[in-house]
Amino acid sequence: MKTLSSSPWIGPVLALAGGAILAFGLPVLVGDQAYLLRLATQLALLVTLAIAWNLVGGFTGYPSFATAAFFGLGAYAIAVAQQAGWPAWSGFLLAAVLSALLAAPFGFAILRLRGHYFAIASLMLVTILKEVTTGWSDLTGGGMGINLPGAGGNPTAIATVALETMVILAAAALALSMIVAKGRLGFGLACIRMNETAAMGAGIDAPRLKTIAFTLSAAICGLAGATYARWIGYIDPSDVYDVMWSVRPIIAALIGGVGTVFGPVVGSIVYIAFEELMWRNLLTFGTGALGVLIALLVLLLPAGIIPGILRRRAS
Amino acid sequence: MLLGGLSATALAPGFAFGQATNEIRIGAPLPLTGPLAPEGRKQKRGYDLWAAQVTKDGGVDVGGRKLPVRIIYSDYQSATPRGVQACEFLVNQEKAHFLFSPFGSGAAKAGSAIAERYKIPMIAPTASSVEVYDQGFKYLFGTFTPNSTLTEPLAKLVTEKAPDVKKVAIFSRNDLLPLSLANEMRKSSAARNLSVVYDEKFAIGTLDFAAALTQMRAAAPDWVFVGGYINDLVQVRSQMRDLGMKPKVLTMIAGPAYEEYIQALKGAAENVSSAAWWHPSVRYEGEDLFRSTANYVEVFKAAYNGDTPDYAEASASSAGAILQLALKKAGTLEGPAVRDALASLNVRTFWGPVHFGATGQIDSLTPPVFQIQEGKAVVLVPDEIKRGEFRFGIA
């Protein structure tokens, strides 16, 4: 363990390699089980969003609800780009760049707020983008939604590519999160989380570091949205700007352990497993039962699963 | 222990293979929770009624055998992505032979890709927009005619009865079906030299329409056309009354077809005109298990404490009845064979004459135009089932 953690690059490289093996191995293993592929893609999507949220909500301690805003923006960026005939890679690039460009100034402005005030301000961004997208129907199709070109292609191929892209994106997000956690940025963010005033006093440029974390997080969410749009093939504003895209990653991170590197991953797995189990077996009370289970988990493991295990091992 | 029990039942559907041919398994993803829950429950009532009638008749005739029907429901929580997931779950895990589509045009469009992939015939009982059917898919069939079949007869009727109606206001919810209706209304107006003096959208979930309506009043329209769902339309109508707006003609789609709309508005619902794909007062004879519209309404009332079925409920029942006729014709549960039977179907049912066009959307139905008169929906068009004359002005 000591030798592994001694080099800061081994973890991220392992994460990427593991992601690549999973991404290309899973379709071979369960390629005939389309539903399992779908679940795996969904899990990778939640892992990605939870890790992205954790950069701001966990490492920095700012409870952001803006995940859905960047997710939707990314989805619409690639949809509009593809309708204009751009190749897919440029659509992904546009999704990441647009999200980052919006996040930087917006984050710089609202990261001055704290706690509940910050949460509400970040939530507003979702509503604003949803309204803009709905109203700007010449570009976005408004409430009619957008069909992504190529969505009618070979469905198995689409499902496989979506899984591969999503898993690699999740692995990349995990690797990034490891690098941030071990590096100077992570140290600065941790200082901000513990005591922002003291951190500023110690010479940490808090507004800059917070904005960097927020921007990185937004770019990942934008990419996740773009991957999602290409996977589903049809998006409309109420789907991709659904506030649940903001809430589910937070719950996943809470279950796994806020502010830990692997918490969002473990939490997402537990969340998806419970959600699937409840949804399958309880026709109309699925969501309610899921809520009860989450409440129980948070009560029993208030710090999350990962810190819970670490503490047990320490004692 | 609780979890152990749950996971055991979660795995159970995996063993459904063996009994696959002993029953007809139909997957029905519905929005049973969330904002679309009322619509989802309507659809469920329609399906359940059909399934109960099938059970009473001893099963569905497939190649000389009588097979029981099992509808497997899945709640997609009014979220389209989950609706798509539900379609895949029902086919892949629950081994459904056929699918009834999720609610509305958007979700049906998204879900139809799954049906196409697995060669599973899907019947969409609540999707009217042509954009749903123009994807080149072969396994999707819809029981609603295109939206233009609602606006055209209305525009024809209004301009014939009231040549002085010149100015039209169009107000619609920013959502797939209402936008599509507004589009058709614009075309129908342009074709008759009516000038559109107001044309706006409102956001989903809007409750206060005062500003928009005041603006609309300033344009002094003779005919106000509002597209939305029942909750929106009840709000718009009562706020028009509060503002004292009295256009000569007020048309709302798709709320007035529901009994709940008349109940909520009482007198303010008077003379509101509308069109729907079906109405309980139409009179069709059919070869299906319900035999006629009149009998369908009776069976429905008996099953649901005297409630009258509306087009959403009837369309759901008709999806089952149509599938049943196609199964009888195909004589097998194989997807491609049933798909071909559906594509070539040409029958009369309680829902109306059923024939699907090249895109899979029904092309044999004439949706009735009706108006609320004395608290009842009175059919004005088509002539064969006409029950009254158009009345002008609103309360």
Side-chain angles (χ1 to χ4, degrees):
Chain A
M1 205 62 198
K2 255 260 136 26
T3 45
L4 261 184
S5 53
S6 56
S7 166
W9 295 104
I10 286 184
V13 167
L14 279 180
L16 282 177
I21 293 170
L22 267 183
F24 296 104
L26 270 179
V28 179
L29 277 180
V30 292
D32 52 335
Q33 292 266 23
Y35 187 71
L36 282 183
L37 281 187
R38 175 177 289 275
L39 264 188
T41 314
Q42 236 170 7
L43 173 60
L45 171 60
L46 185 60
V47 167
T48 311
L49 293 178
I51 291 174
W53 179 84
N54 196 41
L55 289 176
V56 181
F59 292 170
T60 325
Y62 277 71
S64 167
F65 278 82
T67 310
F70 302 115
F71 179 83
L73 184 66
Y76 265 96
I78 202 166
V80 170
Q82 291 218 291
Q83 274 208 328
W86 293 23
W89 65 266
S90 57
F92 279 107
L93 190 68
L94 184 72
V97 170
L98 264 186
S99 303
L101 279 182
L102 176 70
F106 184 77
F108 189 73
I110 68 163
L111 283 161
R112 282 150 203 283
L113 304 169
R114 289 192 194 169
H116 308 72
Y117 301 98
F118 172 78
I120 296 295
S122 64
L123 184 60
M124 283 316 294
L125 188 63
V126 183
T127 317
I128 293 168
L129 282 187
K130 183 177 176 178
E131 288 308 313
V132 169
T133 310
T134 313
W136 197 351
S137 34
D138 298 339
L139 187 73
T140 63
M144 300 275 260
I146 294 192
N147 261 316
L148 273 86
N154 179 355
T156 323
I158 291 176
T160 312
V161 171
L163 175 74
E164 288 164 0
T165 326
M166 209 72 99
V167 171
I168 287 176
L169 183 61
L174 182 63
L176 179 76
S177 164
M178 287 170 166
I179 295 169
V180 168
K182 289 247 168 91
R184 293 174 54 154
L185 177 59
F187 179 73
L189 295 177
C191 292
I192 294 171
R193 183 183 68 233
M194 287 175 219
N195 189 334
E196 191 164 345
T197 323
M200 300 263 279
I204 287 172
D205 187 353
R208 195 173 131 250
L209 295 191
K210 285 188 291 185
T211 309
I212 291 175
F214 194 68
T215 309
L216 278 177
S217 164
I220 299 172
C221 296
L223 283 172
T227 314
Y228 170 85
R230 278 182 60 83
W231 175 36
I232 296 289
Y234 167 79
I235 55 170
D236 77 29
S238 50
D239 285 348
V240 292
Y241 290 110
D242 186 345
V243 74
M244 285 309 283
W245 293 117
S246 293
V247 175
R248 291 164 83 234
I250 300 180
I251 299 175
L254 279 176
I255 294 175
V258 173
T260 61
V261 171
F262 289 100
V265 183
V266 174
S268 300
I269 295 172
V270 172
Y271 179 87
I272 291 272
F274 277 164
E275 185 185 55
E276 183 66 16
L277 215 56
M278 297 299 124
W279 177 65
R280 273 178 181 223
N281 292 295
L282 304 167
L283 184 57
T284 51
F285 194 61
T287 326
L290 182 64
V292 172
L293 260 177
I294 289 168
L296 280 178
L297 262 182
V298 173
L299 280 177
L300 294 175
L301 287 167
I305 293 173
I306 296 264
I309 292 172
L310 289 181
R311 194 170 306 148
R312 199 151 298 171
R313 193 179 288 173
S315 65
Chain B
M1 215 177 79
L2 172 74
L3 281 183
L6 283 173
S7 54
T9 39
L11 290 171
F15 302 104
F17 290 87
Q19 21 160 319
T21 49
N22 293 332
E23 60 180 6
I24 302 168
R25 299 172 69 83
I26 303 171
L30 286 178
L32 294 173
T33 54
L36 294 173
E39 309 285 352
R41 281 196 289 268
K42 275 182 190 296
Q43 230 171 311
K44 185 167 185 297
R45 295 218 292 185
Y47 296 148
D48 285 342
L49 186 69
W50 169 68
Q53 188 70 20
V54 166
T55 309
K56 219 157 113 191
D57 296 353
V60 172
D61 191 351
V62 184
R65 287 206 297 160
K66 284 271 194 183
L67 294 180
V69 159
R70 217 180 118 205
I71 302 183
I72 306 142
Y73 289 108
S74 171
D75 172 31
Y76 68 89
Q77 300 156 0
S78 307
T80 304
R82 192 152 266 274
V84 179
Q85 187 190 350
C87 288
E88 190 145 40
F89 169 73
L90 290 165
V91 173
N92 203 281
Q93 306 283 298
E94 295 282 2
K95 309 291 168 202
H97 299 110
F98 309 104
L99 285 173
F100 291 151
S101 86
F103 174 79
S105 291
K109 183 173 186 169
S112 58
I114 302 291
E116 196 69 16
R117 172 191 306 177
Y118 292 101
K119 300 197 182 338
I120 295 279
M122 173 188 261
I123 301 186
T126 46
S128 58
S129 309
V130 284
E131 291 85 0
V132 177
Y133 302 93
D134 63 6
Q135 310 179 88
F137 287 174
K138 289 196 156 52
Y139 284 81
L140 176 65
F141 297 91
T143 57
F144 279 0
T145 50
N147 296 325
S148 58
T149 60
L150 297 188
T151 57
E152 270 297 302
L154 263 165
K156 185 163 172 278
L157 182 70
V158 169
T159 43
E160 273 174 13
K161 301 279 176 186
D164 56 325
V165 168
K166 289 282 174 229
K167 292 191 281 182
V168 181
I170 300 174
F171 191 40
S172 58
R173 171 178 159 118
N174 202 338
D175 205 352
L176 191 64
L177 170 70
L179 285 181
S180 182
L181 281 170
N183 228 346
E184 295 304 334
M185 188 58 203
R186 250 169 253 138
K187 286 188 212 158
S188 298
S189 305
R192 290 172 181 78
N193 285 325
L194 301 173
S195 61
V196 177
V197 292
Y198 177 91
D199 192 350
E200 286 297 333
K201 303 186 265 271
F202 58 86
I204 298 168
T206 305
L207 290 175
D208 182 3
F209 298 94
L213 290 175
T214 309
Q215 219 183 339
M216 185 196 292
R217 187 171 56 183
D222 306 311
W223 183 5
V224 174
F225 181 93
V226 191
Y229 295 114
I230 178 160
N231 294 342
D232 312 320
L233 297 179
V234 167
Q235 286 299 328
V236 172
R237 176 64 194 99
S238 56
Q239 291 178 29
M240 281 178 81
R241 181 184 51 191
D242 297 345
L243 287 167
M245 283 181 73
K246 292 184 178 179
K248 186 161 185 181
V249 181
L250 172 62
T251 302
M252 293 190 151
I253 300 178
Y258 295 163
E259 195 59 34
E260 294 90 319
Y261 177 89
I262 304 174
Q263 293 304 327
L265 285 167
K266 301 274 185 326
E270 273 309 286
N271 288 6
V272 174
S273 47
S274 187
W277 290 273
W278 182 88
H279 199 270
S281 55
V282 300
R283 288 289 170 266
Y284 292 111
E285 300 292 322
E287 306 156 31
D288 61 301
L289 77 172
F290 292 112
R291 297 189 311 281
S292 71
T293 314
N295 182 53
Y296 174 73
V297 174
E298 281 317 305
V299 174
F300 191 96
K301 279 183 171 168
Y304 298 115
N305 326 314
D307 289 357
T308 312
D310 57 43
Y311 69 85
E313 289 154 335
S315 183
S317 300
S318 85
I322 291 167
L323 178 64
Q324 185 176 3
L325 291 168
L327 284 173
K328 190 175 175 189
K329 191 173 162 190
T332 164
L333 296 181
E334 295 300 319
V338 177
R339 182 258 155 210
D340 291 342
L342 278 166
S344 61
L345 212 58
N346 196 351
V347 291
R348 305 193 70 81
T349 69
F350 82 92
W351 173 252
V354 172
H355 175 266
F356 297 105
T359 61
Q361 190 165 20
I362 200 167
D363 62 3
S364 50
L365 210 61
T366 313
V369 171
F370 61 90
Q371 188 172 37
I372 313 293
Q373 298 180 357
E374 276 107 43
K376 290 240 168 340
V378 175
V379 175
L380 310 174
V381 170
D383 284 339
E384 309 91 75
I385 50 173
K386 179 174 165 178
R387 292 291 160 95
E389 289 299 331
F390 201 99
R391 294 183 189 170
F392 295 99
I394 56 168

